[in-house]
Amino acid sequence: MEISNSSTPPTTVTQVFPGRCSSLEKIAEFVRTAAQQAGLDDFATYQVETAVDEACSNIIEHAYQNTEGEIICTCREEIDRLIITLQDQGQPFDGSNIPEPDLCCDLESRSNHGLGLYFMRKWMDEVRFEYDPALGNKLTMIKRKEK
Amino acid sequence: MEISNSSTPPTTVTQVFPGRCSSLEKIAEFVRTAAQQAGLDDFATYQVETAVDEACSNIIEHAYQNTEGEIICTCREEIDRLIITLQDQGQPFDGSNIPEPDLCCDLESRSNHGLGLYFMRKWMDEVRFEYDPALGNKLTMIKRKEK
Amino acid sequence: MEINTTTYKRCDLITVTGRIDSATAPQLSDTLNALMEEGRFRFVLDLSGTTFLSSAGLRVLINTQKNCKRYNRGEVVLACVPPNIHAALDLSGFVPLFRFFNDVITAVGNI
Amino acid sequence: MEINTTTYKRCDLITVTGRIDSATAPQLSDTLNALMEEGRFRFVLDLSGTTFLSSAGLRVLINTQKNCKRYNRGEVVLACVPPNIHAALDLSGFVPLFRFFNDVITAVGNI
Ligand SMILES: Nc1ncnc2c1ncn2[C@@H]1O[C@H](COP(=O)(O)OP(=O)(O)O)[C@@H](O)[C@H]1O
Ligand SMILES: Nc1ncnc2c1ncn2[C@@H]1O[C@H](COP(=O)(O)OP(=O)(O)O)[C@@H](O)[C@H]1O
């Protein structure tokens, strides 16, 4: 399913993906295309792709815990920003209170976890978690266009 | 000085070079061109180039012993062969009786000398040394064209 | 993702082409673990053809680096890291934990 | 002839472009001797761009190989040897005295 309206902002495209790791590449392509069409440069596009990949990986692993489920991905281009929303019906989750990982330089004591949310926060301009018992989790991530 | 006659065999080109190591590259070019024009393939051309380089290096090092002198190089293409002659006014030399080097496989006992004449003999079809008190040394090397 | 492994006397060269994400990172992890089980702990990772690296891939890198450096028995070094991926490594604080080389020969020669 | 030297932790990569004949072999010899005087005895000779090798060059190769292999301290290996030059090495009986590699990375990784 792909819904798209006019070609000048605001433009909205939505696609539904099975909540499986094998969807990640297709989700990346979908989001990359939207970011490019929104005029983001290569690095900003890569940042968006990373944030979405991390968010979807968490949905698959933590929210659905590797059981069946869907991820609804919407990319909305506004004049000055790209807004990505990811919706799932998995376990409710609010990432806002999860602390930043400790990026100490000592190899042995470095944790190998906690980078996903960190990438999302650092590389997107806004990250918002919402939960609605009827609609499920809704994660909104915003990338502003360069002025 | 370059003398050349008609373009179908027999064809003869002659060039005189200073008997110095810095001439070797130019001699190689001269001989390579003659070999290519005689229709020799790349490897046969490389073999001729090597034999001539070894012969001229010996003239420079041993016959002239690094003093001044000339090398007269003549390339004569006949229907079935390329004949190269090298003439010098250095110390008389007849290489026909110099034995083949010992190519034993043991690194420590391998001599680092004696490969020059060996290359000339192995890669040319005929190698002939002549000495004339008036004309000096004349080395003739023949490479047959492939049938 | 495609993984190519070349075993040298001195080290193994692992060339990873394509995406390293949650779907493919386990395959990279398996490859490296299998080599470490054979007692091989010097890895040059050629990332020139790697188009994407997520935290799942970073996890494999850090785990392997920890394992290799233990007992001073080896090291993971990174070669030909594309700018986007370098930015991800940098943001994660991984830059001080790995040696980086601009080309594979230099990496293989210096590991 | 042009000689380029790259020093790695493990070895030196010597790239020789052009002709190695009586005129130029001394320069190659000087380069290698200078490195050996610094205590470096592992050489990868990249001959991909070498167009000609006479017995003067062969002499440098064998002298350097003898010097490097003494006391088991090193080795000369040959990389990317063009067919004509391989034929000369073969005719001279040098093939059993050197290890040959088809590419520089493999040579650097295996020396
Ligand atoms: N969508 C989600 N649903 C449930 N829990 C989540 C979700 N996303 C993240 N989490 C929790 O937050 C933690 C931190 O996530 P993250 O920063 O992506 O690092 P990692 O996945 O490497 O642990 C996870 O370990 C998990 O416990
Ligand atoms: N043109 C020459 N004039 C005088 N002596 C020569 C000449 N060519 C070769 N020789 C002698 O023959 C020996 C063998 O020559 P060669 O096979 O080319 O090997 P190398 O030059 O490495 O000694 C030389 O060492 C030299 O003594």
Side-chain angles (χ1 to χ4, degrees):
Chain A
M1 180 186 74
E2 186 158 341
I3 306 162
S4 119
N5 54 14
S6 87
S7 65
T8 49
T11 315
T12 303
V13 285
T14 295
Q15 197 165 332
V16 181
F17 299 91
R20 292 195 285 267
C21 281
S22 57
S23 299
L24 290 170
E25 185 162 1
K26 287 177 200 95
I27 295 171
E29 277 161 27
F30 176 66
V31 168
R32 195 186 316 129
T33 305
Q36 285 164 345
Q37 272 167 8
L40 297 185
D41 69 17
D42 282 353
F43 183 53
T45 300
Y46 187 80
Q47 291 176 312
V48 171
E49 190 181 326
T50 300
V52 170
D53 183 279
E54 297 294 348
C56 291
S57 296
N58 279 342
I59 292 171
I60 294 160
E61 189 189 346
H62 302 298
Y64 286 131
Q65 300 184 24
N66 295 305
T67 59
E68 287 291 295
E70 285 182 341
I71 298 174
I72 305 171
C73 179
T74 301
C75 303
R76 176 174 169 88
E77 181 192 352
E78 298 190 347
I79 291 184
D80 63 341
R81 67 189 65 198
L82 178 69
I83 305 170
I84 313 243
T85 58
L86 296 168
Q87 290 171 271
D88 68 76
Q89 306 286 332
Q91 180 192 303
F93 174 68
D94 180 359
S96 9
N97 299 317
I98 300 220
E100 279 203 4
D102 180 9
L103 305 186
C104 64
C105 280
D106 169 29
L107 180 67
E108 269 310 319
S109 45
R110 254 307 286 263
S111 161
N112 61 10
H113 273 280
L115 287 172
L117 286 171
Y118 183 68
F119 271 119
M120 290 155 61
R121 286 184 187 130
K122 288 283 175 183
W123 275 1
M124 300 299 280
D125 293 298
E126 222 180 298
V127 176
R128 203 167 56 235
F129 292 89
E130 293 165 85
Y131 178 72
D132 178 296
L135 299 171
N137 289 301
K138 179 173 172 185
L139 168 62
T140 305
M141 298 195 286
I142 297 178
K143 186 78 176 172
R144 276 196 293 275
K145 300 181 188 176
E146 295 277 315
K147 277 146 287 262
Chain B
M1 180 185 71
E2 187 160 339
I3 306 162
S4 115
N5 55 13
S6 85
S7 65
T8 48
T11 316
T12 305
V13 287
T14 295
Q15 197 164 332
V16 180
F17 300 91
R20 292 195 285 267
C21 281
S22 58
S23 299
L24 291 171
E25 185 163 359
K26 286 177 200 94
I27 295 171
E29 277 162 26
F30 175 66
V31 168
R32 197 187 313 128
T33 305
Q36 285 164 345
Q37 273 168 8
L40 297 185
D41 69 18
D42 282 353
F43 183 53
T45 300
Y46 187 81
Q47 291 177 312
V48 170
E49 190 182 327
T50 301
V52 170
D53 183 278
E54 297 295 347
C56 291
S57 297
N58 279 343
I59 292 171
I60 294 160
E61 190 189 345
H62 301 299
Y64 288 130
Q65 299 184 25
N66 295 306
T67 60
E68 287 293 295
E70 286 182 340
I71 299 174
I72 306 171
C73 179
T74 300
C75 304
R76 176 175 169 86
E77 180 192 353
E78 296 189 349
I79 292 186
D80 63 340
R81 67 189 65 196
L82 178 69
I83 305 170
I84 313 244
T85 59
L86 297 169
Q87 289 170 272
D88 69 76
Q89 306 285 333
Q91 180 191 305
F93 175 67
D94 180 0
S96 8
N97 299 317
I98 299 219
E100 280 203 3
D102 180 10
L103 306 185
C104 66
C105 279
D106 170 29
L107 180 66
E108 270 308 319
S109 45
R110 252 311 282 264
S111 161
N112 60 10
H113 274 281
L115 286 171
L117 287 172
Y118 183 68
F119 271 120
M120 290 154 62
R121 286 184 187 130
K122 288 284 176 184
W123 276 0
M124 300 299 279
D125 293 298
E126 222 179 299
V127 176
R128 202 167 57 235
F129 293 89
E130 291 165 87
Y131 178 73
D132 176 296
L135 299 171
N137 291 300
K138 179 173 170 185
L139 168 62
T140 305
M141 299 193 287
I142 297 177
K143 186 78 177 173
R144 276 196 291 276
K145 299 181 187 174
E146 295 277 316
K147 277 146 286 262
Chain C
M1 185 186 62
E2 197 186 306
I3 301 178
N4 278 297
T5 304
T6 315
T7 295
Y8 302 124
K9 204 169 89 183
R10 173 120 191 105
C11 61
D12 291 271
L13 171 62
I14 319 285
T15 305
V16 186
T17 315
R19 293 170 52 85
I20 311 179
D21 60 14
S22 304
T24 59
Q27 193 188 329
L28 178 60
S29 178
D30 290 350
T31 300
L32 292 165
N33 287 337
L35 286 164
M36 289 189 283
E37 267 166 35
E38 290 171 22
R40 304 204 46 100
F41 297 101
R42 291 172 184 278
F43 299 118
V44 173
L45 261 63
D46 175 358
L47 301 185
S48 57
T50 306
T51 52
F52 182 79
L53 176 68
S54 77
S55 67
L58 291 168
R59 209 170 296 140
V60 175
L61 294 189
I62 194 96
N63 291 344
T64 309
Q65 184 70 304
K66 281 183 185 175
N67 201 341
C68 285
K69 287 217 165 171
R70 205 162 292 151
Y71 317 121
N72 232 358
R73 62 190 169 188
E75 182 182 7
V76 177
V77 304
L78 306 178
C80 313
V81 178
N84 287 342
I85 288 174
H86 192 276
L89 290 160
D90 193 21
L91 183 61
S92 319
F94 275 32
V95 170
L97 307 179
F98 293 85
R99 287 196 294 155
F100 290 76
F101 295 98
N102 289 330
D103 61 278
V104 171
I105 302 177
T106 311
V108 170
N110 285 306
I111 196 170
Chain D
M1 184 188 62
E2 199 187 306
I3 301 178
N4 278 297
T5 304
T6 316
T7 295
Y8 301 124
K9 203 169 88 184
R10 173 120 192 106
C11 61
D12 291 271
L13 171 63
I14 318 285
T15 305
V16 186
T17 314
R19 292 170 52 84
I20 311 179
D21 60 15
S22 304
T24 58
Q27 193 187 329
L28 179 60
S29 177
D30 291 351
T31 302
L32 293 165
N33 288 336
L35 287 164
M36 289 189 283
E37 265 166 36
E38 290 172 20
R40 305 208 41 103
F41 297 101
R42 291 172 185 278
F43 299 118
V44 173
L45 261 64
D46 175 358
L47 301 183
S48 57
T50 305
T51 52
F52 183 77
L53 176 69
S54 77
S55 66
L58 291 168
R59 207 170 298 140
V60 175
L61 294 189
I62 194 96
N63 290 344
T64 309
Q65 183 70 304
K66 280 182 186 176
N67 201 340
C68 286
K69 286 218 164 171
R70 204 161 293 151
Y71 317 120
N72 231 359
R73 62 192 170 186
E75 182 182 6
V76 177
V77 305
L78 306 178
C80 313
V81 178
N84 287 343
I85 289 174
H86 193 276
L89 291 160
D90 193 20
L91 184 59
S92 319
F94 275 33
V95 170
L97 307 178
F98 293 86
R99 287 196 294 155
F100 290 77
F101 295 98
N102 290 330
D103 62 279
V104 171
I105 301 175
T106 312
V108 171
N110 284 307
I111 197 171

